[in-house]
């Protein structure tokens, strides 16, 4: 006899748990969920069955919960929408925590549905029973206790609303993981619809069918427009700068849409663009001549360090992985520094003077618009200084890649640098390249020059951990568009 085999019978129709799970999973799908990553277990049976039966959901079986969470994380990093993680009760959901940390730090949407045991089994040493409420702490963006199933019309409508609300919260106002806890009392097996169903069971099935035929809630956010006048102080700093830089650090795949806006900003300012391997700008069509890929090497060079310092830095998105750049900026906190990013306070060394919280494409477009009316008013000496500054970086870039070529050509064995170079060169256009936490990104930065060959870069830099890399890459591959 199991610990809850003698627990109270379902408080409602015999198909209550089956219909409750069907309504919940359909509501997730109606809110935009397409992928469900399942780890096995008994308590989650009704929810797994509902997911498998839904035509709009694609299910993936990943036995280990820790790997499953990173698998779902990789999917979300590509698709931009949350995948649903589904596991049984007890300690299973706790293994999601490392990926939840990464989701929080990298602003990646996730949904976690942990099946739980009924309330009467709490605090009495029942097997596989722990307090699952908020056990991911403040690392999850939100927690939703769904409680036990109820056939009341208001409860059914509330369940649909809570599912849609959870999907919305995983993406707004800042993406992250949302944890839902759903309690299930035995029997857990799905109750099939049939002629022998009780009137109450048939009434519930009809009520859920009718509810599913109604449109799910559709939350919408007003898009806050960024006007050029909002950026007047930063635009003025750009106009006055003689030695500006545009710094592009790690970025999600969706940021590839910002490329043209970044290129236009570079043209309007005349600033070099420092493009890291984990940005979506290093391996991209239309790469301008102002793109500099060897900046990790350059800012560790005595010649560069002894030269004039930049007088303005525009950082797009997260801080770069480059260790030499981080040390350079920390040693020169007086350099005016602006951060343009949609989420997070991306200023690890506390030197930013301006922070623009907007999508990179929006921020770059508004800043370019603020600059354009007066772009032609720049004095001839100022334009000459900017041109000399750009040419200095372009010359250093050419010298750096010549030196890298010379080193690689002299090596008789396959080094880390040569491996990085050959791998990137062998990839076809549009391939997904998954780079790990720090060293792989830096190896590509140091040994692989920028290229117009388009590549999609998947990086896992939120917590700078080395775990889950293979699982997240595997998940990403399952949803990668052609």
């Amino acid at each position: 006899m199991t610990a809850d085999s003698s627990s109270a019978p379902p408080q409602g129709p015999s198909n209550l748990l089956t219909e409750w799970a069907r309504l919940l999973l359909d509501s997730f799908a109606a809110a935009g969920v397409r992928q469900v990553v399942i780890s096995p277990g008994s308590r989650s049976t009704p929810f797994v069955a509902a997911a498998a039966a839904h035509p709009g959901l694609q299910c993936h079986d990943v036995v280990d919960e820790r790997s499953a969470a990173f698998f779902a994380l990789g999917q979300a990093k590509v698709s931009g929408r949350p995948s649903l993680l589904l596991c049984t009760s007890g300690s299973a959901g706790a293994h999601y925590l490392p990926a939840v940390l990464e989701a929080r730090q990298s602003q990646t949407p996730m949904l976690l549905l942990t099946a739980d045991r009924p309330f009467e089994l709490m605090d009495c040493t029942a097997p596989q029973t722990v307090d699952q409420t908020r056990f991911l702490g403040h690392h999850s963006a939100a927690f939703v206790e769904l409680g036990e199933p109820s056939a009341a019309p208001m409860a059914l409508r509330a369940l649909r609303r809570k599912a849609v609300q959870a999907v919305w919260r995983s993406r707004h106002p800042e993406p992250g993981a949302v944890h839902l806890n759903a309690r299930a009392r035995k029997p857990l097996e799905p109750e099939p619809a049939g002629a022998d169903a009780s009137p109450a069971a048939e009434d519930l099935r009809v009520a859920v069918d009718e509810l599913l035929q109604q449109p799910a809630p559709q939350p919408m956010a007003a898009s806050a427009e960024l006007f050029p006048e909002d950026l007047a102080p930063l635009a003025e700093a750009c106009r006055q700068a003689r030695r500006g830089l545009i710094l592009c650090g790690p970025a999600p795949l969706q940021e590839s849409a910002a490329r043209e806006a970044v290129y236009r900003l570079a043209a309007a300012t005349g600033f070099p663009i420092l493009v890291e391997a984990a940005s979506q700008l290093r391996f991209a069509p239309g790469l301008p001549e102002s793109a500099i890929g060897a900046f990790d090497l350059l800012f560790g060079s005595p010649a560069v360090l002894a030269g004039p310092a930049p007088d303005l830095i525009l950082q797009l998105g997260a801080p770069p992985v480059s260790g030499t750049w981080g040390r350079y900026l920390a040693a020169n906190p007086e350099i005016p520094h602006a951060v343009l990013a949609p989420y997070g306070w991306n200023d690890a060394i506390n030197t930013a003077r301006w922070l623009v919280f907007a999508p990179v494409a929006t921020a770059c477009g508004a800043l370019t618009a603020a600059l354009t009316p007066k772009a032609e008013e720049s004095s001839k000496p100022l334009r000459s200084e900017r041109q000399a500054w750009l040419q200095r970086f372009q010359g250093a870039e050419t010298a750096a890649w010549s030196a890298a070529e010379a080193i690689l050509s002299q090596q008789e064995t396959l080094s880390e640098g040569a491996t990085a170079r050959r791998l990137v060169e062998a990839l076809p256009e549009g391939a997904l390249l998954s780079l790990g936490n720090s060293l792989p990104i830096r190896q590509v930065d140091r040994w692989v020059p920028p290229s117009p060959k388009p590549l999609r870069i998947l990086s896992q830099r939120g917590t700078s951990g080395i775990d889950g890399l293979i699982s997240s890459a595997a998940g990403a591959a399952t949803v990668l568009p052609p």
Side-chain angles (χ1 to χ4, degrees):
M1 180 178 291
T2 58
D4 63 325
S5 62
S6 60
S7 59
Q11 299 175 0
S14 59
N15 62 344
L16 176 57
L17 185 53
T18 297
E19 294 301 322
W20 185 260
R22 181 165 73 99
L23 177 59
L24 178 61
L25 270 294
D26 185 278
S27 300
F28 283 135
V33 173
R34 296 293 177 265
Q35 309 293 327
V36 183
V37 183
I38 300 167
S39 295
S42 173
R43 192 61 52 171
S44 55
T45 297
F47 308 106
V48 172
H54 196 287
L57 296 174
Q58 182 177 3
C59 295
H60 308 266
D61 295 323
V62 182
V63 174
D64 179 75
E65 288 88 2
R66 194 169 187 271
S67 294
F70 280 106
F71 188 95
L73 183 80
Q75 290 182 323
K77 283 179 176 285
V78 171
S79 69
R81 66 174 73 203
S83 295
L84 174 65
L85 283 159
L86 179 53
C87 72
T88 191
S89 61
S91 62
H95 295 285
Y96 289 156
L97 180 58
V100 168
L101 294 173
E102 175 67 24
R104 178 183 175 88
Q105 293 295 102
S106 61
Q107 292 89 39
T108 304
M110 292 181 72
L111 283 175
L112 295 70
L113 178 61
T114 54
D116 202 355
R117 301 165 90 82
F119 286 110
E120 64 264 21
L121 295 180
M122 300 300 298
D123 303 318
C124 60
T125 323
Q128 204 174 335
T129 305
V130 300
D131 184 358
Q132 297 179 195
T133 58
R134 304 183 186 277
F135 71 168
L136 297 172
H138 68 276
H139 302 297
S140 60
F143 170 75
V144 182
E145 172 60 70
L146 295 177
E148 295 185 0
S150 170
M154 178 66 81
L156 296 177
R157 293 196 299 272
L159 180 65
R160 192 157 175 81
R161 182 262 300 170
K162 287 181 179 181
V164 174
Q165 205 170 20
V167 175
W168 170 261
R169 181 61 187 86
S170 75
R171 304 178 72 175
H172 303 277
E174 182 171 328
V178 173
H179 173 203
L180 302 99
N181 195 53
R183 298 180 186 272
R185 182 184 286 109
K186 289 186 175 181
L188 302 170
E189 295 75 20
E191 179 81 10
D196 56 346
S198 68
E202 181 62 18
D203 288 346
L204 176 59
R205 184 189 66 78
V206 171
V208 171
D209 282 343
E210 291 177 350
L211 188 55
L212 295 182
Q213 290 172 7
Q214 300 173 15
Q218 298 183 28
M220 292 174 280
S223 57
E225 187 174 355
L226 188 63
F227 296 99
E229 54 266 29
D230 298 330
L231 299 176
L234 181 55
E236 184 59 27
C238 290
R239 279 192 286 269
Q240 298 297 325
R242 288 167 165 75
R243 299 180 303 278
L245 292 174
I246 298 174
L247 175 65
C248 304
L253 288 176
Q254 290 74 25
E255 284 299 328
S256 60
R259 288 170 181 161
E260 292 302 324
V262 177
Y263 298 162
R264 288 192 292 271
L265 178 60
T269 58
F271 298 170
I273 312 174
L274 310 184
V275 287
E276 184 179 83
S279 73
Q280 305 302 325
L281 290 155
R282 189 182 183 96
F283 307 109
L287 202 63
E289 294 181 357
S290 57
I292 306 298
F295 72 95
D296 183 62
L297 284 171
L298 298 183
F299 281 92
S301 164
V304 173
L305 296 177
D311 57 5
L312 180 63
I313 298 165
L314 302 179
Q315 176 187 313
L316 308 185
V321 178
S322 169
T324 58
W325 172 262
R327 290 189 290 272
Y328 179 83
L329 196 58
N332 297 274
E334 72 285 352
I335 300 175
H337 176 200
V339 177
L340 289 68
Y343 310 113
W345 198 276
N346 291 282
D347 180 26
I349 54 177
N350 306 301
T351 62
R353 185 174 301 180
W354 303 278
L355 293 104
V356 182
F357 292 98
V360 169
T362 301
C364 288
L367 185 54
T368 302
L371 288 169
T372 302
K374 298 183 179 181
E376 297 180 358
E377 297 179 12
S378 300
S379 65
K380 186 175 181 180
L382 179 58
R383 291 196 298 271
S384 297
E385 285 187 62
R386 287 179 177 172
Q387 186 63 27
W389 173 251
L390 175 59
Q391 290 174 347
R392 181 170 179 265
F393 270 91
Q394 290 172 324
E397 170 90 343
T398 300
W401 293 123
S402 295
E405 289 284 357
I407 293 172
L408 292 176
S409 65
Q410 295 171 5
Q411 293 177 346
E412 298 181 356
T413 58
L414 189 61
S415 63
E416 291 179 342
T419 300
R421 173 73 71 92
R422 293 181 186 180
L423 171 63
V424 173
E425 289 177 345
L427 290 173
E429 290 188 2
L432 176 70
L433 174 60
S434 180
L435 294 176
N437 60 330
S438 300
L439 187 57
I441 296 173
R442 290 172 181 156
Q443 292 290 3
V444 174
D445 275 342
R446 293 195 168 207
W447 299 104
V448 185
S451 167
K453 179 173 69 175
L455 296 178
R456 292 177 278 196
I457 307 298
L458 181 70
S459 64
Q460 201 154 289
R461 280 291 301 170
T463 55
S464 303
I466 61 173
D467 50 346
L469 298 176
I470 295 175
S471 295
S472 63
T478 65
V479 295
L480 189 68

